[in-house]
Amino acid sequence: MSHPDLVALATIARREVMRILRIWTQTLIPPAITMTLYFMIFGGLIGSRVGKMGGLDYMAFIVPGLVMMSVIQNSYGNISSSFFGAKFGRYIEELLVSPAPDWVILAGYVAGAVLRGVMVGVIVMAIAMLFTTVHVAHPLVTVTAVLLGAVIFSLAGFVNAVFAKKFDDIAIVPTFILTPLTYLGGVFYSITLLPSWAQTATYANPIFYMVNAFRYGLLGQSDVQLWQAYVLMLAFTGALGGFALWLLRKGVGLRS
């Protein structure tokens, strides 16, 4: 990477970070409040009646799913709103005509989104420690699963922002696709509780693999083989990254 490219990447990423910190009451506090309620209601009230889930205390069982859910939602939401805002304000054109390569522009926005997702994930993890104790079983798996999940949904959010024509368009995917997939991705239950047809349908849900990879990293337990989760996550990263770069190069939704 040349020095000018490095400067451009750092500048875009720093701008995204400053945006997150400047409006921290909107970017960091609401997810913390929401997840605290999840832990209190699902983990505390309902979990006390559920008992064990997959041999684990129910409160501990839902921790990986809630952390990953917050990482996914915030990574996606950050880049979709930020990049669409750049389109709407028409200052994205300044980046497109600059000497910065397309991959630098994409990487800068993704870096900011991943950072917000990780920051929220750390906050949610700290809140979880107030309700239960989780000993990280596999630190490397824990870190890589979170980062890959954040990158994947940052790229997905970027694609959404490219095609969006109005602010309402960036809310369609999270509302009608992302949220259902998250709730049906094994956040609150083990797949072994489902009938065979529902288990088969769950295997088609990519979030299911991300949640279980992270659960394996934290708790040492997963409903899928770890290699399957990593193959899927790496495949999504490559496919979405390539598609996002192609959209940038072609100027789809940007130069019209």
Side-chain angles (χ1 to χ4, degrees):
M1 182 188 299
S2 65
H3 180 67
D5 290 347
L6 184 61
V7 171
L9 175 61
T11 301
I12 297 171
R14 184 170 64 249
R15 185 187 64 193
E16 289 299 294
V17 172
M18 294 306 297
R19 172 181 173 271
I20 295 168
L21 297 179
R22 187 173 62 252
I23 55 173
W24 61 273
T25 54
Q26 301 175 42
T27 56
L28 302 179
I29 298 302
I33 295 174
T34 301
M35 291 304 155
T36 300
L37 294 174
Y38 273 121
F39 283 119
M40 292 175 61
I41 296 172
F42 286 93
L45 298 179
I46 298 177
S48 62
R49 291 163 175 76
V50 171
K52 299 288 185 179
M53 179 70 67
L56 299 167
D57 180 74
Y58 187 71
M59 180 71 82
F61 179 86
I62 66 174
V63 168
L66 290 177
V67 172
M68 183 59 80
M69 181 168 72
S70 64
V71 170
I72 287 172
Q73 291 176 342
N74 284 275
S75 297
Y76 190 101
N78 189 83
I79 196 168
S80 59
S81 61
S82 178
F83 192 78
F84 182 77
K87 278 178 54 181
F88 186 79
R90 305 195 71 83
Y91 55 86
I92 190 60
E93 297 171 359
E94 298 174 7
L95 277 177
L96 295 176
V97 299
S98 72
D102 294 330
W103 71 266
V104 168
I105 298 173
L106 178 63
Y109 275 97
V110 168
V114 168
L115 179 63
R116 175 177 166 184
V118 171
M119 289 171 66
V120 172
V122 170
I123 292 172
V124 174
M125 193 68 190
I127 292 172
M129 294 299 100
L130 301 176
F131 294 91
T132 187
T133 300
V134 175
H135 301 287
V136 180
H138 305 283
L140 182 61
V141 174
T142 301
V143 172
T144 54
V146 165
L147 291 178
L148 282 172
V151 169
I152 289 169
F153 282 94
S154 296
L155 291 169
F158 181 87
V159 172
N160 185 183
V162 167
F163 285 106
K165 297 186 181 301
K166 54 184 183 296
F167 278 102
D168 289 344
D169 292 341
I170 64 176
I172 292 176
V173 173
T175 302
F176 296 103
I177 298 178
L178 192 56
T179 298
L181 287 178
T182 302
Y183 279 97
L184 297 174
V187 172
F188 298 103
Y189 57 85
S190 171
I191 193 176
T192 56
L193 299 177
L194 302 176
S196 57
W197 67 267
Q199 291 187 30
T200 302
T202 302
Y203 282 121
N205 183 351
I207 294 180
F208 168 71
Y209 294 87
M210 299 174 196
V211 168
N212 274 275
F214 188 57
R215 180 170 288 132
Y216 180 84
L218 276 184
L219 306 176
Q221 179 176 309
S222 173
D223 287 334
V224 296
Q225 293 293 322
L226 191 61
W227 69 267
Q228 293 177 319
Y230 273 92
V231 166
L232 182 137
M233 288 190 291
L234 290 171
F236 266 94
T237 301
L240 286 171
F243 185 49
L245 278 175
W246 181 83
L247 291 174
L248 266 180
R249 291 194 183 106
K250 296 294 184 180
V252 177
L254 304 176
R255 296 191 174 101
S256 57

